Amino acid sequence: MPKQYGGKHLTIAAMAGGAFVAAAFGAVGFAIVGLGWFDVAASSPHSRLVYWITHTTMVRSVQAQSRSVVAPRRFTAAQAARGFRAYDGECVMCHGGPGVPRAPWVSGITPTPPYLLDAAHEWTPSQLKIIISNGLKMTAMPAWNVRHPDAQTWDIVAFVEQLRGMTPARYAQMRHDLRNRTARAQNGRQ
Amino acid sequence: MKRRNNRLQMQAVLLCAALTACGRQGPSPRADILGSVDQGAIEIDRSACGSCHIIPGIPGADGLAGPPLDRFAGRTMVAGLLPNTPDNLALWIARPQEIVPGNVMPDSGLSVAQARNIAAYLDSLH
């Protein structure tokens, strides 16, 4: 039965081909991991391919993890004001603000932290919550759940939502108000 | 018949010229005076310009807080305020707050050489 005979040959060829491809992938993988082919220096940007792989992996993972996270219906001004305190203390050096530069050393981080002025356009509140609480592996983005319980993290999300369209004058005003509040609180304690 | 041939030739020559002019990618002569286009691309990546601007050729540069910087070589003005000369472009990139105080784009502490490399890159966008 020639037909079956041919089928058998095809199967063997396919298996040999598969084994060859697997061996090739294995060899390249070994070279990258074992022989130092991948350049880990942060002083040069990711190649286009590595950027695509890491960025797509990050976006898909955040999307998947955030599916079970239920965001508050709306955020209050008080929440955003509390979130600002955390942002201005813990985030602005890496992510900057409207008219506010990042700290000079931050341009040495690869991937470099982006300004977040349109993060609320790119991410849903649930996705922002996951990113901020859990951080991002293999980047310099920390998991802020080591410092902030969920409620405080939602405050930060509330502020990041407001960053969209915020003027430099408004950011400066919020800094001013925060300083005044802190000073009053300290005076009260004395 | 002869004249028509000539005209066809002329048209072909013009078409070729137009195609090479439009299709030209990479640095313009102006860019060469400014700095290194390749180094400029690296500085743009490091400075996170792409989180506020759409910039062709820079991975992930899809920010919407500032205007898109595509085809910048052909722009007549920088920020609608300064003529788009190499020096003005480099000046804006290094110290935008001096030119339009209180605008959203921060002074990010770039050196003159870094700003000129970035300007060279933007000037290569046709």
Side-chain angles (χ1 to χ4, degrees):
Chain A
M1 285 192 291
K3 235 182 174 175
Q4 245 182 28
Y5 196 66
K8 217 167 171 183
H9 269 262
L10 271 181
T11 318
I12 292 170
M15 278 166 67
F20 179 77
V21 170
F25 267 105
V28 172
F30 173 76
I32 291 173
V33 176
L35 300 181
W37 273 18
F38 183 82
D39 180 9
V40 296
S43 49
S44 56
H46 279 318
S47 69
R48 248 156 235 277
L49 176 68
V50 173
Y51 169 81
W52 181 84
I53 292 172
T54 53
H55 188 74
T56 310
T57 305
M58 185 269 272
V59 172
R60 293 287 179 268
S61 168
V62 168
Q63 284 170 345
Q65 285 185 53
S66 66
R67 240 163 251 145
S68 55
V69 178
V70 183
R73 276 271 176 68
R74 62 169 64 83
F75 297 110
T76 65
Q79 265 181 308
R82 286 197 300 270
F84 172 76
R85 176 194 282 274
Y87 189 90
D88 202 45
E90 296 167 335
C91 320
V92 78
M93 78 288 268
C94 276
H95 289 291
V100 183
R102 311 174 304 167
W105 48 267
V106 167
S107 55
I109 297 175
T110 304
T112 207
Y115 286 81
L116 299 178
L117 302 193
D118 59 7
H121 173 78
E122 231 167 295
W123 305 102
T124 65
S126 303
Q127 289 166 351
L128 288 171
K129 166 72 170 56
I130 283 289
I131 292 173
I132 299 168
S133 283
N134 296 358
L136 298 168
K137 271 200 188 74
M138 290 189 269
T139 78
M141 173 64 182
W144 290 96
N145 65 9
V146 298
R147 267 182 69 67
H148 299 295
D150 280 351
Q152 283 176 19
T153 308
W154 283 118
D155 292 347
I156 301 175
V157 173
F159 175 76
V160 172
E161 289 281 317
Q162 286 212 344
L163 263 180
R164 193 163 184 228
M166 181 176 285
T167 62
R170 174 83 187 119
Y171 195 93
Q173 178 69 42
M174 290 182 90
R175 268 188 169 167
H176 183 78
D177 293 349
L178 179 62
R179 255 201 309 274
N180 281 351
R181 269 205 308 279
T182 317
R184 266 203 305 277
Q186 274 166 358
N187 286 341
R189 241 178 273 130
Q190 274 164 9
Chain B
M1 189 65 197
K2 187 121 191 267
R3 255 179 65 198
R4 218 183 117 177
N5 254 347
N6 271 347
R7 244 178 62 194
L8 268 181
Q9 263 173 16
M10 260 308 264
Q11 277 169 354
V13 167
L14 281 177
L15 187 68
C16 283
L19 278 178
T20 39
C22 297
R24 192 182 62 207
Q25 290 287 312
S28 61
R30 227 181 78 161
D32 293 337
I33 311 168
L34 268 164
S36 152
V37 173
D38 291 342
Q39 196 56 37
I42 294 175
E43 302 288 2
I44 287 175
D45 188 84
R46 285 208 182 126
S47 308
C49 313
S51 52
C52 286
H53 294 287
I54 292 169
I55 312 174
I58 306 293
D62 57 2
L64 297 173
L69 303 182
D70 58 318
R71 300 180 63 198
F72 211 83
R75 297 285 179 91
T76 47
M77 304 299 280
V78 179
L81 208 68
L82 300 171
N84 185 10
T85 65
D87 286 340
N88 282 343
L89 181 54
L91 177 66
W92 170 268
I93 291 166
R95 297 201 296 278
Q97 293 293 325
E98 266 173 38
I99 296 157
V100 181
N103 96 86
V104 162
M105 178 162 156
D107 284 357
S108 47
L110 291 164
S111 71
V112 173
Q114 287 171 322
R116 291 181 78 83
N117 288 337
I118 293 176
Y121 182 87
L122 295 182
D123 227 27
S124 74
L125 301 174
H126 291 277

